[in-house]
């Protein structure tokens, strides 16, 4: 008969039989005032993080097949926003179990269905391209008003990935299949930094973002998604000398081949912001591969665009073009703004009243000196490619 091997307790230096580990660990948190002699305690006052620690510890024991000295040991003062001094893999294991689902106002039959209905009901010679499924996440006065728009845009992008891309759903956040709340996303970003993604951007935050109300931007979005081997890309638009956008830390690369593939070019006699509009149109239309036929609205396979500028960020979920006289094209970005109330926006779309002012953004609304976009290409990166994705480069398009 095999003897019961001894296992090290993750909370003390004791070695106990493996079969008794859970019971022994529990005793560290029993209130012995409630314990009757020779009877199990009636009251177990166990810190919430205890189960995460023990689960990660047991997972490591199983994976290694023997006792390991590199246990997921967390400080007794550990809060839900800080797993403690664990190894990266152990932090990931702990976070998969402890992350929380973000609460948001659910729109049925879906936000993009309502938007599509509104666009199809319009009179005139217009064509629109939309992303597939996207949930709207609004900033909440009690949680993140004034600083959380970047995180809300990340949540909108994630909501699309979870529904439209099975490979991303499996890769993201341990395959839990839901959009995490902001504290959980902050912890995932810190893990991405610890893995070596966007080292320079991490340094701007002193490598700490949990509990912070600092603004983030496209590069934080890219670093977070790239840490799950997703191909997140960043594009810069601006004058010849790139200016600083809050939360931005990218290595700007003037990739002229990419520019000519994605953009028709700037009209020297027109508004330079046409460069951005052309990029968005060609992005969603997949370089004009989409055919409208008799339809006024079509669905693109492209992800939404995280749309960043100085002072705010939003999510571009599509684009509309109106064919005016003399072959003049007028573009409208179709935007979901985290600053808008989801329920009010839903009501406007359902009633088809006033929704244009909330969703449409024409070229005349583009007044900032620099803009940034972040999107996600299909597929999962190989291990070698993921290493290269740790450094975030952007394509720079000049206004």
């Amino acid at each position: 008969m095999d003897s019961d091997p001894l296992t090290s307790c993750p909370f003390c230096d004791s070695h106990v039989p493996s079969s008794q580990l859970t019971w022994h660990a529990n005793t560290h948190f029993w209130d012995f005032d409630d314990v009757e002699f020779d009877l199990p305690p009636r009251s177990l006052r166990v810190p919430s993080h205890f189960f995460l620690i023990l689960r990660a510890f047991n997972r490591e024991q199983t994976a290694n097949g023997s006792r390991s000295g590199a246990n997921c040991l967390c400080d007794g003062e550990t809060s839900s926003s800080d797993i403690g001094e664990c190894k990266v893999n152990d932090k990931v294991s702990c976070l998969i179990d402890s992350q929380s689902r973000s609460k948001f106002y659910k729109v049925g039959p879906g936000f993009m269905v309502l938007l599509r209905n509104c666009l199809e009901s319009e009179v005139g010679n217009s064509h629109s391209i939309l992303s597939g499924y996207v949930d709207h996440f609004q900033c909440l006065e009690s949680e993140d008003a004034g600083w959380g728009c970047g995180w809300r845009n990340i949540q909108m992008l994630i909501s699309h990935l979870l529904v439209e891309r099975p490979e991303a759903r499996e890769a993201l956040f341990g395959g839990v299949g839901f959009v995490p709340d902001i504290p959980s996303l902050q912890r995932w970003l810190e893990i991405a930094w610890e893995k070596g993604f966007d080292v320079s951007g991490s340094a701007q935050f002193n490598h700490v973002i949990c509990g912070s109300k600092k603004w983030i931007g496209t590069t934080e979005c890219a670093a977070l998604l790239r840490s799950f081997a997703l191909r997140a890309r960043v594009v810069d638009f601006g004058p010849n000398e790139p200016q600083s956008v809050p939360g931005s830390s990218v290595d700007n690369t003037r990739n002229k081949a990419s520019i000519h593939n994605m953009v028709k070019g700037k009209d020297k006699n027109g508004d330079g912001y046409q460069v951005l509009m052309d990029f968005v149109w060609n992005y969603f239309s997949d370089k004009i591969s989409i055919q409208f036929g008799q339809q006024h609205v079509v669905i693109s396979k492209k992800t939404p665009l995280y749309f960043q500028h100085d002072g705010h960020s939003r999510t571009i979920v599509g684009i509309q073009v109106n064919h005016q006289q003399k072959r003049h094209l007028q573009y409208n970005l179709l935007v979901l703004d985290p600053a808008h109330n989801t329920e009010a926006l839903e009501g406007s779309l359902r009633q088809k009243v006033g929704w244009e002012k909330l969703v449409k953004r024409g070229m005349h609304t583009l007044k900032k000196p620099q803009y940034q976009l972040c999107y996600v290409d299909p597929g999962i990166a190989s291990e070698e490619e993921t290493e290269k994705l740790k450094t975030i480069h952007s394509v720079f398009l000049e206004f």
Side-chain angles (χ1 to χ4, degrees), residues 243-255:
Q243 301 178 21
S244 175
V245 174
S248 169
S249 175
V250 295
D251 180 7
N252 292 295
T253 303
R254 288 172 172 76
N255 188 331

Side-chain angles (χ1 to χ4, degrees), residues 297-339:
V297 183
V298 296
I299 302 300
S300 171
K301 294 182 179 180
K302 298 288 189 173
T303 66
L305 294 161
Y306 182 130
F307 185 41
Q308 175 81 36
H309 62 77
D310 185 15
H312 193 38
S313 60
R314 291 162 286 177
T315 297
I316 300 174
V317 296
I319 188 168
Q320 180 186 62
V321 61
N322 291 304
H323 302 272
Q324 306 293 331
Q325 293 181 353
K326 298 181 181 180
R327 297 184 179 180
H328 175 69
L329 301 179
Q330 179 185 9
Y331 290 104
N332 288 311
L333 301 177
L334 304 175
V335 174
L336 295 184
D337 193 332

Side-chain angles (χ1 to χ4, degrees), residues 90 111 154 159 177 207 288 304 313 318 391:
D90 290 331
F111 221 98
I154 290 176
S159 73
H207 315 292
I288 317 301
S313 60
T391 301

Side-chain angles (χ1 to χ4, degrees), residues 156-396:
M156 285 192 251
L157 184 49
I158 291 170
S159 73
H160 172 89
L161 293 170
L162 292 179
V163 172
E164 300 289 346
R165 296 194 179 174
E167 75 280 8
R169 181 184 179 90
E170 183 177 346
L172 285 167
F173 316 116
V176 294
F178 60 73
V179 179
D181 62 7
I182 291 177
S184 298
L185 291 176
Q186 289 180 328
R187 288 149 63 191
W188 280 116
L189 179 56
E190 282 193 1
I191 289 175
W193 287 342
E194 192 168 344
K195 288 181 177 180
F197 289 87
D198 191 22
V199 174
S200 59
S202 172
Q204 290 186 356
F205 293 90
N206 198 26
H207 315 292
V208 176
I209 196 68
C210 288
S212 171
K213 296 183 179 181
K214 293 181 179 178
W215 290 354
I216 63 165
T218 54
T219 51
E220 285 70 48
C221 175
L224 174 65
L225 296 178
R226 287 182 177 202
S227 69
F228 296 101
L230 299 185
R231 299 182 174 107
R233 314 294 187 190
V234 177
V235 184
D236 271 286
F237 299 84
N240 188 41
E241 294 298 329
Q243 301 178 21
S244 175
V245 174
S248 169
S249 175
V250 295
D251 180 7
N252 292 295
T253 303
R254 288 172 172 76
N255 188 331
K256 293 187 177 180
S258 296
I259 294 173
H260 290 309
N261 283 336
M262 296 296 292
V263 182
K264 297 177 183 177
K266 179 175 65 175
D267 181 358
K268 297 296 183 180
N269 298 318
D271 196 320
Y273 292 117
Q274 187 65 43
V275 173
L276 190 153
M277 289 293 190
D278 285 341
F279 178 93
V280 175
W281 175 263
N282 288 328
Y283 168 80
F284 280 113
S285 65
D286 200 11
K287 303 176 186 176
I288 317 301
S289 65
I290 283 183
Q291 300 297 321
F292 284 92
Q294 300 300 314
Q295 303 177 87
H296 289 283
V297 183
V298 296
I299 302 300
S300 171
K301 294 182 179 180
K302 298 288 189 173
T303 66
L305 294 161
Y306 182 130
F307 185 41
Q308 175 81 36
H309 62 77
D310 185 15
H312 193 38
S313 60
R314 291 162 286 177
T315 297
I316 300 174
V317 296
I319 188 168
Q320 180 186 62
V321 61
N322 291 304
H323 302 272
Q324 306 293 331
Q325 293 181 353
K326 298 181 181 180
R327 297 184 179 180
H328 175 69
L329 301 179
Q330 179 185 9
Y331 290 104
N332 288 311
L333 301 177
L334 304 175
V335 174
L336 295 184
D337 193 332
H340 290 159
N341 178 277
T342 307
E343 191 171 1
L345 183 54
E346 177 198 20
S348 182
L349 290 170
R350 286 191 184 279
Q351 298 171 23
K352 298 180 181 178
V353 176
W355 64 273
E356 297 93 341
K357 293 182 179 180
L358 298 174
V359 175
K360 292 186 180 182
R361 292 292 179 271
M363 193 162 63
H364 66 282
T365 66
L366 302 177
K367 299 178 181 180
K368 298 292 183 177
Q370 185 181 12
Y371 291 90
Q372 288 181 326
L373 299 176
C374 181
Y375 61 93
V376 183
D377 277 334
I380 299 296
S382 65
E383 186 174 345
E384 181 180 357
E385 183 184 353
T386 301
E387 279 298 311
K388 295 179 180 179
L389 290 174
K390 289 182 177 181
T391 301
I392 300 179
H393 300 280
S394 76
V395 172
F396 178 80

Side-chain angles (χ1 to χ4, degrees), residues 52 55-56 59 72 83-84 86-99 171-176 187-188 190-192 194-195 227-228:
L52 308 178
R55 189 178 294 117
R59 186 183 292 114
C72 180
I83 297 300
C86 308
K87 291 171 59 178
V88 171
N89 288 340
D90 290 331
K91 288 184 179 181
V92 169
S93 297
C94 291
L95 185 49
I96 288 173
D97 292 315
S98 67
Q99 62 188 330
L172 285 167
F173 316 116
V176 294
R187 288 149 63 191
W188 280 116
E190 282 193 1
I191 289 175
E194 192 168 344
K195 288 181 177 180
S227 69
F228 296 101

